[in-house]
Amino acid sequence: MKRKWWHDKVAYQIYPKSFCDSNGDGIGDIPGIISRLDYLKDLGVDIIWLSPCYQSPLADEGYDISDYYKIDPRFGTMEDMERLIAEVKARGMYLLMDLVVNHCSDEHEWFRKACEDPDGKYGGYFYLRKKTEGELPTNWRSYFGGPVWDDLPGTDRQYLHVFHKKQPDLNWENPCLREEVYENMNWWLEKGLAGFRVDAIINIKKALPFRSYEPDREDGLCSIGAMLEEAEGIGEFLGEMRDRTFRKYDAFSVGEVFHEKDEEIADFIGEDGYFSSMFDFSAAVCGASEKGVYDAKPVTPDDYRRCCFEAQRRVGETGFLSNIIENHDQPRGVSRYIPAGEVSPESKKMLAALNFMLRGIPFIYQGQELGMENMPFSSLEEIDDIATKDEYRIALDAGLSADEAFRAVVEYSRDNARTPMQWSDAGNAGFTTGTPWLRVNPDYTTINAAAQMNDPDSVRSFYRELIALRKHPAYKETIVYGALEPVWEDRHNLMAYYRRGDRTLLVIGNYQTGEQSVELPSGFRKVLLNNYHGMAAEGRVLRLYGYQLLILEM
Ligand code: TEU
Ligand code: CA
C-alpha cells in the first residue's frame, strides 16, 4: 500500500460548543480553541477534527447547517476560523472540519426556496412527495424517532428527513446538488483545511423507488437500516466526491460509515478508496437492541476484545481504520467499557493502550485523555440531546416507569460526552467565566487538565507516553504498519495482541480487578509501557496485577 501522510498521525476531536469559551457566554468558541492549541501540541496531537461550527440553528448541535459558507456567530467569525487554520498550520498540525451533507437545516436557503417553489430548482435538492391524507410515502422511522416524512410548509408536499425534522435530506441523485457540495468542499480545502470527517455518509444513497418495509416495532415503522440494506450504488457518488475534491488536495477524509459489507471495505478505504479511513464503530454498536436504547446490553471485557479483533480481521492490511473509544455521540468510553465500580486510573490507562495500539489511526475525543467519565445526570430536564429525549419516550412506550426509563437511557446519552471540557479546578472547570450551556461534571475538582499535566502518573501523562511511543523512531514502523495478531483469545478478561513489523511488540491488558498470569512464548527485551510502577515476572510467567497493561518488545 502506498504510504500516505496521515498513516502515522494521531487525531483529536473537538466538540466546539464544549471545548473552551473565550467570551463568557457559556458556549465554547473558535478563539477558545486557538487558546488551547499549545495544550494539544504538547499532548502530541497531529490532526484536529472540529465538529460543526458552521451557521446553524443548533437543533442537532450544528449537525443541521443553514449556511455551509458561514461560521455561526456563537462560535466566532470567518476571520477567527482563518486564524485557527493558520495557527494550526504554524504548529505543524492539520485541521479537519465536519462535512454534513446527507442533510442541511430546514433554515437553509435551499429549503426555504423549495417551500416557495417545490417544482423549481431547489425543490429538486430534496426528496419531496405529494401528500396523501392519512398515508405516508414510506414507513421508515427516523433515527431520532417518528416517521421520516413531514409536511413541506406552505405546499401540498412532504419532505424526507432520516434524522430530525429540522434536517431535511439532500437529494444526491441530483447532479446540481452534488456540484454545490463539491464546490463548497473545495472552497474550504482552498482555505487550507487538511480534509474532512464525513458525517452520516452511508445515508446519501437511498433505495429507489421508495417503498415500505416490514415494520420492526409496534409503531408500524421500520428502521432506516432496512432501506439502506437495499440501496446500491453509493460508490458512484463517493468516487465522484473523491475525484472532484479530496484527491486534488491529497486531503485526509474519514468516513462515518455504518453497515458496510465486507466486500466493500477495499472500495471504501483500500488504496485509492473513497476515503482515507473510516471509523471502527464495532464496540460502539455492541449490545445495541432493535427495540431501543433502553434495551441495550452492557459491553463486557470479552465483548470489547471480540469487537476490536473482528474489526481488525475484517480490514487486515486493506486499509486503515480510525480507532475510537468514544465520540460526541457516545457515552464516555471509560464508563461504558470498564465494568461499573472498576473505573480507576489503571483501568482507564489499560483501555487507552489497548485501543491505541490497534492497527489504524487513533482518534482521541476531547477529555478522553483526562479519563473524563459519564455525567451523573439526575433528571431529564438536564438533558439537551434530542436523541436521548426520543429514546426516553420509546422506553416509556415500552412500559418502563418514568424512573426506569430515565435510568435506562441516561447511561447512553450523547450529553455524557458533551459536558464542558475540564481544564482546571477553577469555577466551571475553567471552561467559562459565565454559565455553561450544559452543566459541568462535578468530578472536575479531581479530573482536570491542570492537575494532570503536573502529574507524571496521570491518565493524560499516560496518553502522552502512548503518543510518544507511536512516534518513536524505533517503534513507529511497527506500530503504524505492522500486522496485528491476537493472542490468548480463549482467556477470560484478557486482551492481548502482537504487533509485528520490523520489531515485535506484545500488548497485554488484564481486563479485571483480580490478578492473572500468562506465560510468554518467548523472552522479552524491554518493557515499553506499564501502567504500574513494577511488574511481577518469574522467568516467562507474568503475574499481571488488576487492570495491568504492558507493552513489551519481544
Ligand atoms: O451521526 C450519525 C448517526 O448514525 C447517528 O444516528 C448516531 O448513531 C446517533 O447520534 C447516536 O445517538 C452523525 C453525527 O455524528 C451526529 O452527531 C448527528 O446527530 C447525525 O449524524 C446527524 O447529522
Ligand atoms: Ca463563547
Side-chain angles (χ1 to χ4, degrees), residues 20-29 74-75 432:
C20 183
D21 175 23
S22 71
N23 61 353
D25 65 357
I27 296 178
D29 46 52
R74 282 164 285 199
F75 296 126
T432 180

Side-chain angles (χ1 to χ4, degrees), residues 15 49 60 63-64 98 100 103 143-144 163 167 197 199-200 203 256 258 327-330 385-387 412 414 418:
Y15 194 69
W49 151 30
D60 185 21
Y63 284 91
D64 48 318
D98 218 305
V100 189
H103 45 267
Y143 288 107
F144 293 146
F163 289 95
Q167 295 169 301
R197 174 267 187 182
D199 185 69
N203 297 284
E256 192 199 21
F258 289 97
N327 65 22
H328 66 295
D329 290 336
Q330 306 293 329
D385 175 19
I386 48 178
Y412 293 95
R414 305 194 292 181
R418 296 178 180 185

Side-chain angles (χ1 to χ4, degrees), residues 186-480:
N186 289 330
W187 187 83
W188 279 107
L189 290 166
E190 285 293 332
K191 269 197 182 295
L193 286 191
F196 290 97
R197 174 267 187 182
V198 188
D199 185 69
I201 197 67
I202 211 73
N203 297 284
I204 65 170
K205 184 73 196 188
K206 274 73 174 168
L208 293 166
F210 289 168
R211 69 175 186 92
S212 289
Y213 298 85
E214 195 62 41
D216 51 27
R217 286 186 200 164
E218 273 169 24
D219 59 7
L221 305 177
C222 73
S223 95
I224 300 290
M227 177 276 290
L228 293 179
E229 190 89 7
E230 264 195 7
E232 265 168 34
I234 193 172
E236 282 161 45
F237 297 157
L238 297 181
E240 181 183 84
M241 177 195 268
R242 171 199 58 208
D243 296 345
R244 299 286 308 280
T245 64
F246 305 134
R247 180 178 275 165
K248 298 194 289 179
Y249 297 85
D250 198 23
F252 175 73
S253 58
V254 50
E256 192 199 21
V257 179
F258 289 97
H259 308 291
E260 78 286 352
K261 301 167 184 104
D262 279 1
E263 60 276 15
E264 289 172 339
I265 289 173
D267 299 337
F268 274 86
I269 56 166
E271 179 136 28
D272 207 30
Y274 310 136
F275 301 120
S276 316
S277 180
M278 64 185 186
F279 291 109
D280 174 17
F281 289 118
S282 43
V285 301
C286 181
S289 163
E290 297 252 293
K291 294 186 194 162
V293 152
Y294 74 89
D295 189 48
K297 301 280 169 295
V299 181
T300 66
D302 292 349
D303 289 335
Y304 187 77
R305 170 180 64 186
R306 182 177 38 78
C307 290
C308 293
F309 288 168
E310 264 172 26
Q312 291 281 319
R313 286 195 172 104
R314 280 182 87 202
V315 171
E317 275 149 64
T318 308
F320 283 79
L321 284 169
S322 285
N323 297 314
I324 59 162
I325 288 179
E326 63 203 34
N327 65 22
H328 66 295
D329 290 336
Q330 306 293 329
R332 289 288 178 176
V334 293
S335 301
R336 178 141 187 232
Y337 303 125
I338 300 169
E342 299 179 12
V343 179
S344 65
E346 285 71 36
S347 57
K348 289 174 180 180
K349 292 174 190 172
M350 179 212 66
L351 183 67
L354 289 177
N355 186 267
F356 222 82
M357 292 296 289
L358 295 169
R359 191 174 182 285
I361 302 163
F363 270 68
I364 300 170
Y365 175 71
Q366 66 184 44
Q368 178 187 323
E369 77 279 17
L370 306 176
M372 278 179 66
E373 301 176 14
N374 274 358
M375 174 77 174
F377 288 112
S378 53
S379 80
L380 202 67
E381 282 70 64
E382 290 177 339
I383 303 273
D384 172 87
D385 175 19
I386 48 178
T388 311
K389 292 177 183 167
D390 171 54
E391 291 292 349
Y392 176 72
R393 203 187 37 74
I394 291 171
L396 289 182
D397 290 350
L400 277 70
S401 72
D403 186 51
E404 288 165 345
F406 172 71
R407 276 187 289 114
V409 302
V410 75
E411 259 192 86
Y412 293 95
S413 176
R414 305 194 292 181
D415 281 356
N416 284 302
R418 296 178 180 185
T419 62
M421 175 73 176
Q422 293 166 202
W423 292 107
S424 71
D425 63 2
N428 291 316
F431 161 72
T432 180
T433 54
T435 308
W437 73 278
L438 194 64
R439 197 156 67 87
V440 175
N441 193 319
D443 66 14
Y444 75 90
T445 50
T446 50
I447 300 179
N448 66 70
Q452 295 202 12
M453 287 181 78
N454 293 322
D455 175 4
D457 284 333
S458 67
V459 175
R460 187 186 183 277
S461 297
F462 190 81
Y463 267 94
R464 211 161 162 264
E465 286 177 58
L466 268 173
I467 296 175
L469 178 63
R470 183 175 164 88
K471 296 183 176 183
H472 191 294
Y475 304 109
K476 185 175 164 153
E477 177 69 22
T478 304
I479 296 175
V480 176

Side-chain angles (χ1 to χ4, degrees), residues 110-153:
W110 297 336
F111 193 76
R112 277 198 256 122
K113 287 187 171 160
C115 296
E116 281 160 25
D117 180 12
D119 293 314
K121 174 175 174 191
Y122 294 100
Y125 278 28
F126 300 93
Y127 291 105
L128 307 182
R129 293 291 182 271
K130 273 253 158 56
K131 180 175 174 171
T132 318
E133 226 27 82
E135 201 185 314
L136 294 173
T138 67
N139 69 340
W140 309 346
R141 181 188 311 105
S142 125
Y143 288 107
F144 293 146
V148 296
W149 297 98
D150 259 285
D151 293 351
L152 187 71

